[in-house]
Structure formats: structure tokens, C-alpha cells
Amino acid sequence: EPEVTQTPSHQVTQMGQEVILRCVPISNHLYFYWYRQILGQKVEFLVSFYNNEISEKSEIFDDQFSVERPDGSNFTLKIRSTKLEDSAMYFCASGNGGNQPQHFGDGTRLSIL
Amino acid sequence: AQRVTQPEKLLSVFKGAPVELKCNYSYSGSPELFWYVQYSRQRLQLLLRHISRESIKGFTADLNKGETSFHLKKPFAQEEDSAMYYCALDPNQGGKLIFGQGTELSVKP
């Protein structure tokens, strides 16, 4: 069964540095998402992406964040200047919209020092 | 406001006992609701969705619009059911998912 894959599984970065989290969605999916989960808290929506543009973003997704689909397979989340509070598990998901479920990757644990 | 509430952080039962994981939602429209499960060190996996009205691994969930609930039930819990369970609301059919806090289910032998 096809899966969403995320790399790296764990990223440690100094505060203020840029970080790029990578995701390969399921190949025939059209909708892509990023979520994050701060330790001990709920999974929170960050952004959705469809037809090569952001379709929705949350309040968390400020100017420090950006997403890109640089080629036909990858979907990336960039945090420009990381802060301590960006430390979290970041999940990528993909789906086909409508009432179809979203499929999640294993997540990238981001630790900001 | 769109919100999902899972009131129990931890639910501990013995093997063979019935299980009910509670989920209440706040949404004015017609909701799309899902249950996701996360086994230890694994990804979030779809367990079931209300629209398909199916039973997966013995679990069922019924949408009760009057009580705005989507509780997850299983008549006889198994040890392998131990996991984190998340209820999620899709208010826009294919847009963001709004998750509850999650309930950790622990099934003891």
C-alpha cells in the first residue's frame, strides 16, 4: 500500500537557523497538508496546498513558514528563522479531497536548541 | 467555533471489557468525522469515518447529531488495541482536519 514518506525523522537545529522538512505524498493525491504536534498537545493544522497554491492556512502559519512543491513528487515545509517554540512533531498528509481521508506520514521531530 | 473535544486523556480497561472513547464536536454544518489511531511509534492511521458506517478491527462509531457526538466503541477490548486515538472533524470536505486532544487507550491483560 502506498505511503506518505517524510525525511528526516529527527532534525536538530540551532535557534534562528532555517530548516526544511521534506515529504513525498502518495503519487495520485492532489491535496497536501502540514500539521504539527507540540509535545503533550493536540495535532494542529498548519497549511493545505492544492493546484500549486496554498488553499488554507492557520494562524500558526505566519511569514516564517512557507511550503513548496518543487517537482512532481516532493512537498516541503520551510521555517525561515526557527524559534524554540517551533519544537514539535511535524506531520505531512495527502489526500484527494471531498470526503476522502487524509493519509499521514511518520512525522519529523524538530528540536530547536 | 469549530472544535473537537475528547474528554478523557487516558482510558484504562482490562482485556475483554467494553470500551467507549468519547468524542464531541462543535460545528454548525453537516460534519465529516473520522477516528485516527496511532500505535506506539507509528504514524496516524485512519481507523474509520462516519460516512462509511463500517466496522474496523471491531470498532464502530455512530454520529449522533442531536448530542453532537461521535463516540468510538468496541464490545471486547484486546491488548493490541492499546494506542492513542484521535477524533477529527473535516469542516470543509477535503480541507483541514480539526483534531481532539486524543485519548490514550491502555488495555491490560
Side-chain angles (χ1 to χ4, degrees):
Chain A
E1 188 176 329
E3 290 182 343
V4 175
T5 56
Q6 289 185 245
T7 54
S9 55
H10 191 190
Q11 174 81 45
V12 182
T13 302
Q14 290 287 333
M15 186 172 62
Q17 296 295 306
E18 175 182 285
V19 67
I20 297 176
L21 309 183
R22 301 180 194 280
C23 169
V24 179
I26 293 173
S27 61
N28 64 344
H29 284 176
L30 302 175
Y31 292 76
F32 315 114
Y33 312 85
W34 283 101
Y35 293 84
R36 80 169 184 193
Q37 185 176 31
I38 294 171
L39 189 64
Q41 298 185 24
K42 64 171 68 177
V43 177
E44 300 173 289
F45 168 78
L46 291 177
V47 66
S48 58
F49 192 86
Y50 171 71
N51 201 24
N52 281 322
E53 59 183 23
I54 291 173
S55 46
E56 188 176 3
K57 60 183 181 179
S58 71
E59 291 173 356
I60 303 167
F61 195 88
D62 61 22
D63 292 344
Q64 294 297 315
F65 290 87
S66 61
V67 289
E68 201 176 33
R69 189 151 160 85
D71 51 43
S73 59
N74 289 284
F75 179 52
T76 61
L77 173 70
K78 183 194 290 186
I79 309 175
R80 222 177 318 279
S81 178
T82 49
K83 302 188 276 284
L84 292 175
E85 53 265 37
D86 293 328
S87 295
M89 194 76 164
Y90 288 80
F91 293 104
C92 175
S94 69
N96 272 329
N99 54 20
Q100 296 302 306
Q102 294 178 24
H103 296 258
F104 285 79
D106 281 329
T108 293
R109 181 168 299 284
L110 178 62
S111 299
I112 306 300
L113 304 179
Chain B
Q2 299 161 353
R3 189 167 55 242
V4 175
T5 304
Q6 293 179 250
E8 302 136 331
K9 205 167 181 177
L10 173 65
L11 188 61
S12 186
V13 301
F14 286 102
K15 177 183 168 182
V19 165
E20 182 180 54
L21 290 89
K22 292 185 167 41
C23 171
N24 287 91
Y25 65 91
S26 173
Y27 178 59
S28 56
S30 201
E32 299 282 346
L33 286 155
F34 302 85
W35 275 98
Y36 280 83
V37 60
Q38 188 175 34
Y39 300 103
S40 179
R41 301 181 185 280
Q42 294 186 27
R43 65 186 60 203
L44 281 162
Q45 302 173 36
L46 177 69
L47 182 60
L48 52 80
R49 46 184 170 155
H50 92 273
I51 197 168
S52 55
R53 300 182 64 81
E54 58 199 343
S55 172
I56 303 291
K57 299 184 181 183
F59 285 96
T60 58
D62 289 319
L63 176 62
N64 185 324
K65 290 187 179 179
E67 294 182 1
T68 60
S69 68
F70 188 55
H71 302 328
L72 183 68
K73 299 177 185 178
K74 184 168 183 176
F76 308 104
Q78 303 299 314
E79 288 178 70
E80 55 266 30
D81 296 329
S82 295
M84 280 294 292
Y85 290 81
Y86 295 95
C87 183
L89 166 71
D90 177 0
N92 294 324
Q93 289 217 6
K96 66 183 177 189
L97 288 175
I98 299 169
F99 283 88
Q101 292 275 24
T103 297
E104 182 182 353
L105 175 64
S106 174
V107 182
K108 300 185 187 317

